[in-house]
Amino acid sequence: MLSRRATLVLPGLALLSAKAEAQADWRQQIPEVRYGMISVENERDAIARLQGLQAFMARELRTPFRVFRGSDYAAVVEALRAGHSELAYLGPASYGLARRVMGERIAPIFRFIDNEGMEGYHSAMIVKADSPIRQLEDMRGKTLGFSDPNSTSGFQVPGWFLRRQGMDPASFFSKTGFTGSHEQGVMAVINGTFDAAVLAYSNERRNTFQRMVEKGMIPDGAVRVIWKSPLIPNAPIVLRMDTPETFRRDAIAAFASLPARDPQAFNEMSSGARGLASAKHEDYLDIMAILEENAARRRERRS
C-alpha cells in the first residue's frame, strides 16, 4: 500500500515541480529583453555605444537583448507603458513622466557615478565661443534652444530655475524652441539657429559638447558655458515592475556585475563613468516637484 500510494503521489509532485520551473523561467514570457534609450545623442552613436551592453546582457540573461533609441523622450516612456520595453535609460524628468503614467509599475534601479565620483550633473547654457554674450543677463531678448519637453537639463530644470531668477523664458528671450536632442542643441548654437542652448553637463571633462569633440563632430573650444544649474540627480536606469520577479532579480544582478565583468562595455555605455550606484524613487522627488509646478504653470496659461 505504501508503495502504491507513493506511485500515486509522485506524478502529482512531478507536475507541480514542472509548473514551478516553468513559472520560474521568465524567458517563456519575455523571449527578447528590450532596453530603451532617450534621444540625448544621435541614433547611430547611441546604438553603437550600447553594443557591448547588448552582448553582455544577452550572455548573462541567456536570451536576446535588444537596445533601441526613442525618437524622443516620450517615445521611450510610451514603450515602457505599452509593455514594449522591459528596461530603459531615462532622464530624471522622463522618469517622472513614466511614474505619472505608470505609477509603481516602473522603478529606478541604478544611476551612474560619473568620472569624478559624482552622482549628479547640471543643466548648462552654452553659447558660441566668440559670442559677445558673457553671462545670463546678456541673454535678454536673445534666442534659446531647449532640447526636448521631457528633458530634465534640456528644458524642465533650466526653465524652473530661470523663473526663480526673474527670467521667465516666455518673456525674457525673444524666441525659444526645441532642437530635438542635446547634440542638436550644440549644433544649433554653432550654426547660428539659436544664440544659446541648454544641455547636460557633468563637469569640464564630461559633458555633451566635450563628447562631441571626442567624436569629431565639432572642434574643441567651439562653445562655452555661461550658466549652470545646481546639481541634478543622475539619470536612472529603470525597470518595469510588472515583469516576473525572477526576471527582475536576474536583470538587476546582471547590471550590477557589468562594471567589473565587462569594463569596456560599461565604459562605452556610460561614457567613462566610474561605476553604478543604487537608485530609488525618493532620489527624484525634488525633480518631480519641479515637473508638477511646471505643469501647473502651463495649465494656468492655457486657462
Side-chain angles (χ1 to χ4, degrees):
M1 289 295 292
L2 289 174
S3 175
R4 184 179 177 186
R5 287 184 65 185
T7 59
L8 291 173
V9 172
L10 286 175
L13 290 175
L15 288 173
L16 288 173
S17 176
K19 183 178 180 181
E21 183 178 350
Q23 289 175 342
D25 188 0
W26 53 263
R27 294 163 192 83
Q28 295 184 11
Q29 297 181 48
I30 307 175
E32 178 187 58
V33 180
R34 297 153 296 186
Y35 179 87
M37 174 77 177
I38 54 175
S39 54
V40 176
E41 60 185 319
N42 67 83
E43 184 172 14
R44 182 196 63 189
D45 291 343
I47 297 301
R49 281 198 304 110
L50 298 180
Q51 290 306 294
L53 170 71
Q54 181 170 277
F56 175 83
M57 295 295 282
R59 290 194 304 269
E60 290 297 302
L61 298 178
R62 294 182 290 111
T63 198
F65 187 94
R66 178 170 61 88
V67 299
F68 68 93
R69 173 189 176 275
S71 56
D72 57 24
Y73 287 48
V76 181
V77 173
E78 176 56 22
L80 289 163
R81 188 199 65 78
H84 298 154
S85 179
E86 290 71 41
L87 294 148
Y89 175 80
L90 298 178
S94 46
Y95 165 66
L97 171 62
R99 190 78 179 197
R100 284 205 304 272
V101 299
M102 296 179 68
E104 294 184 357
R105 290 174 54 217
I106 194 73
I109 53 174
F110 294 108
R111 59 184 181 185
F112 294 125
I113 302 170
D114 75 15
N115 59 311
E116 294 192 350
M118 299 295 292
E119 293 184 29
Y121 70 114
H122 305 271
S123 171
M125 187 179 296
I126 61 161
V127 297
K128 286 182 69 173
D130 60 358
S131 170
I133 299 168
R134 311 304 302 182
Q135 57 188 349
L136 192 55
E137 289 75 10
D138 297 336
M139 280 294 296
R140 185 180 298 275
K142 306 298 184 182
T143 59
L144 177 69
F146 294 113
S147 61
D148 184 283
N150 292 301
S151 171
T152 315
S153 58
F155 181 64
Q156 296 286 347
V157 162
W160 189 86
F161 276 106
L162 286 169
R163 284 192 295 273
R164 284 292 184 277
Q165 295 176 242
M167 303 173 180
D168 188 339
S171 56
F172 186 76
F173 305 107
S174 61
K175 182 184 76 170
T176 62
F178 292 105
T179 63
S181 76
H182 294 251
E183 286 188 347
Q184 289 173 335
V186 175
M187 297 308 302
V189 168
I190 291 175
N191 294 333
T193 305
F194 290 100
D195 295 309
V198 283
L199 44 76
Y201 181 99
S202 292
N203 53 67
E204 289 184 3
R205 297 188 300 116
R206 184 56 55 195
N207 57 67
T208 302
F209 54 85
Q210 173 268 340
R211 187 167 58 190
M212 294 173 70
V213 171
E214 292 179 356
K215 294 190 293 187
M217 296 176 67
I218 63 172
D220 192 13
V223 298
R224 56 183 167 80
V225 174
I226 63 167
W227 173 84
K228 286 193 302 181
S229 75
L231 205 64
I232 304 165
N234 275 343
I237 295 169
V238 303
L239 171 65
R240 267 187 33 230
M241 302 303 286
D242 56 355
T243 52
E245 181 181 356
T246 48
F247 165 72
R248 301 198 304 270
R249 178 198 65 204
D250 291 349
I252 290 171
F255 264 109
S257 69
L258 175 62
R261 296 188 61 188
D262 197 334
Q264 181 177 344
F266 178 73
N267 183 69
E268 292 170 353
M269 167 196 180
S270 65
S271 298
R274 287 189 185 180
L276 289 170
S278 294
K280 58 186 184 299
H281 174 65
E282 288 71 21
D283 297 332
Y284 301 96
L285 292 180
D286 288 346
I287 295 299
M288 296 189 73
I290 288 175
L291 298 181
E292 291 302 323
E293 183 174 321
N294 288 347
R297 187 179 183 86
R298 289 193 297 272
R299 287 193 296 270
E300 288 175 3
R301 286 185 169 176
R302 288 198 296 265
S303 61

